[in-house]
């Protein structure tokens, strides 16, 4: 198992992601988490594309979000991502959604993914990939 790792993505809240009040719609946070999770996988050398070509799929089976403050149109956002729990068949990612200008924590989240084969039968995460998914202590309170 490798050392703990936290990666992040940065972007601005786009107009299409907001409601009439100029606040980011709650559904977008899961999309932002997916963006951060994909970047995490890419940065440690374990791409979803390669896993799928190897016949392993990682569907999300659980998702939770805790909203603390609103993100608004054009706010600069940073989403940090790390592995909270890892196993042979399941991996849980955690996220901190923050305003980059103020460092205010806007939301926390976690998603659990399980490994299935192309027939959607439970399988294991390849050892080479598991070894890249370093469990990291939570840097924020979830």
């Amino acid at each position: 198992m490798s050392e703990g790792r936290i990666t992040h993505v940065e972007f601005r809240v786009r107009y299409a992601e907001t409601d009439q009040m100029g606040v980011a719609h709650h559904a977008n946070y899961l999309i932002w988490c997916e963006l951060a999770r994909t970047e995490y996988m890419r940065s440690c050398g374990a791409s979803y594309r390669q896993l799928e070509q190897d016949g392993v799929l990682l569907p999300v089976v659980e998702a939770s979000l805790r909203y603390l403050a609103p993100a608004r149109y054009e706010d600069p956002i940073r989403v940090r991502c790390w592995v909270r729990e890892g196993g042979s068949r399941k991996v849980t990612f955690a996220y901190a959604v923050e305003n980059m200008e103020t460092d205010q924590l806007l939301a926390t989240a976690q998603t659990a993914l399980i490994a299935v084969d192309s027939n959607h039968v439970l399988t294991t995460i390849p050892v080479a990939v598991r070894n890249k998914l370093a469990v990291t202590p939570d840097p924020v309170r979830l």
Side-chain angles (χ1 to χ4, degrees):
M1 194 65 90
S2 59
E3 290 182 22
R5 163 194 302 268
I6 299 174
T7 62
H8 70 275
V9 294
E10 299 175 354
F11 55 90
R12 288 195 178 272
V13 176
R14 294 163 287 271
Y15 187 79
E17 295 172 320
T18 63
D19 60 19
Q20 190 174 11
M21 299 175 287
V23 173
H25 189 271
H26 65 273
N28 289 302
Y29 287 75
L30 281 175
I31 295 168
W32 299 345
C33 289
E34 181 177 7
L35 179 66
R37 183 175 66 250
T38 302
E39 185 55 36
Y40 179 98
M41 295 286 285
R42 183 179 295 114
S43 76
C44 70
S47 78
Y48 280 114
R49 180 178 300 202
Q50 187 60 53
L51 272 171
E52 291 174 0
Q53 288 173 351
D54 294 341
V56 178
L57 308 171
L58 291 175
V60 173
V61 294
E62 295 175 32
S64 65
L65 288 139
R66 184 170 169 245
Y67 302 98
L68 304 167
R72 299 181 184 283
Y73 173 58
E74 288 203 343
D75 280 354
I77 301 297
R78 174 179 47 240
V79 182
R80 292 189 287 159
C81 178
W82 62 97
V83 173
R84 191 160 202 235
E85 298 174 2
S88 63
R89 298 174 188 268
K90 181 179 171 183
V91 60
T92 301
F93 289 91
Y95 313 87
V97 180
E98 303 159 324
N99 181 306
M100 286 177 17
E101 285 178 349
T102 65
D103 287 327
Q104 182 180 20
L105 183 61
L106 305 176
T108 59
Q110 64 179 19
T111 56
L113 293 77
I114 60 165
V116 296
D117 65 19
S118 58
N119 294 315
H120 297 171
V121 174
L122 192 61
T123 189
T124 58
I125 300 169
V127 173
V129 173
R130 279 199 319 257
N131 288 339
K132 296 175 181 181
L133 302 177
V135 174
T136 301
D138 294 331
V140 297
R141 184 170 169 244
L142 295 184

